[in-house]
Amino acid sequence: MRVTGPPVPGRLADPQAPARCNGSYTDIREAYQVGQKTVRFSDLSGAIITQDDALARIVIREHPELADSPVEIEVLTDEARAIEKAGLRVAVVDLYLPGEDEPHRVAMDAGSFDKLATDKAMSELLVSARPARRSSRTSPASQARGDRGSYASIEHAGRPHKGRITDAERQLVCEHFDEINERLAGQGLRTISLADREHIERYGLAELAGQRGVEPD
């Protein structure tokens, strides 16, 4: 975080101005020099970052409170190194459950994941496992990298995704409910139901459900 302070006055004697004496004081013309000072603070601790080489940049790509896209913060190098030391060995897996359109991405401690393999060691299992099949649809990972902003467009609004629903997407779903459901059905995706309480809360459809006389389950 950078903070730019107000102008800083400095009182300097004007070298071009001759001194005038009247026996009781000397009148010296004064000139003022102004400037700005930029100060950096750690976004984590608020500590002042005094040197450029003490500045580290952190890009946060996944977090339960993160909205639609990665964000970045500035921190002290020591703070960044502490995060690196605290890093965990994790296994990231996609769970394809029956009857669901999109997989559930789960990150868990690698040691705990390894213990799930009871027939053979996880290292052996991973070596002998077949390569993952490519999905015909856009994967959740690629959506997270590049398509999140497109959910606020009529072409993608209402598609299943794990990110938060923006106000723009809610408005599109409310205003083009039937059109969006027709598109979703044509793409083989789940449609949005006014009888589904979760869908109503997710897309803000309580008023529309009331207008159409639909009582959520």
Side-chain angles (χ1 to χ4, degrees):
M1 179 174 63
R2 297 178 176 83
V3 177
T4 302
V8 180
R11 181 172 295 184
L12 299 175
D14 185 352
Q16 303 299 324
R20 295 187 301 158
C21 300
N22 61 2
S24 60
Y25 66 91
T26 300
D27 182 14
I28 300 177
R29 293 185 181 179
E30 295 175 335
Y32 287 86
Q33 185 181 56
V34 297
Q36 290 184 330
K37 184 177 182 180
T38 299
V39 180
R40 288 188 174 95
F41 296 88
S42 166
D43 290 307
L44 286 177
S45 64
I48 296 177
I49 301 174
T50 57
Q51 300 177 356
D52 288 341
D53 59 359
L55 174 67
R57 185 172 68 99
I58 295 178
V59 176
I60 304 169
R61 300 193 178 278
E62 293 188 24
H63 190 280
E65 300 300 325
L66 191 62
D68 292 332
S69 59
V71 297
E72 67 176 59
I73 59 176
E74 292 180 341
V75 302
L76 293 166
T77 301
D78 289 344
E79 293 173 333
R81 286 174 177 160
I83 293 174
E84 184 178 21
K85 290 180 180 179
L88 303 174
R89 294 179 65 250
V90 297
V92 180
V93 300
D94 289 337
L95 307 177
Y96 290 82
L97 302 178
E100 297 193 7
D101 299 316
E102 299 291 340
H104 297 262
R105 174 153 293 184
V106 178
M108 62 183 296
D109 175 70
S112 299
F113 181 70
D114 291 349
K115 292 178 181 178
L116 297 176
T118 57
D119 184 50
K120 62 178 69 175
M122 181 61 72
S123 57
E124 296 180 26
L125 176 61
L126 295 179
V127 170
S128 60
R130 64 178 179 273
R133 291 171 294 178
R134 292 188 177 183
S135 174
S136 59
R137 298 173 186 165
T138 303
S139 69
S142 63
Q143 288 181 354
R145 286 193 297 268
D147 294 340
R148 283 185 172 183
S150 66
Y151 293 128
S153 66
I154 191 64
E155 293 82 7
H156 298 284
R159 286 175 58 93
H161 63 92
K162 290 185 177 181
R164 292 183 178 179
I165 303 299
T166 64
D167 291 339
E169 185 178 3
R170 286 192 182 94
Q171 183 175 353
L172 282 171
V173 171
C174 289
E175 294 178 352
H176 304 274
F177 182 80
D178 295 324
E179 178 184 347
I180 288 174
N181 262 348
E182 183 178 351
R183 169 175 54 77
L184 292 173
Q187 294 173 341
L189 300 175
R190 68 97 179 93
T191 57
I192 302 171
S193 173
L194 293 177
D196 189 314
R197 192 174 301 277
E198 182 180 350
H199 287 184
I200 287 180
E201 293 178 357
R202 185 171 174 82
Y203 295 102
L205 299 171
E207 184 176 351
L208 181 61
Q211 291 174 354
R212 298 193 178 187
V214 179
E215 186 67 26
D217 294 335

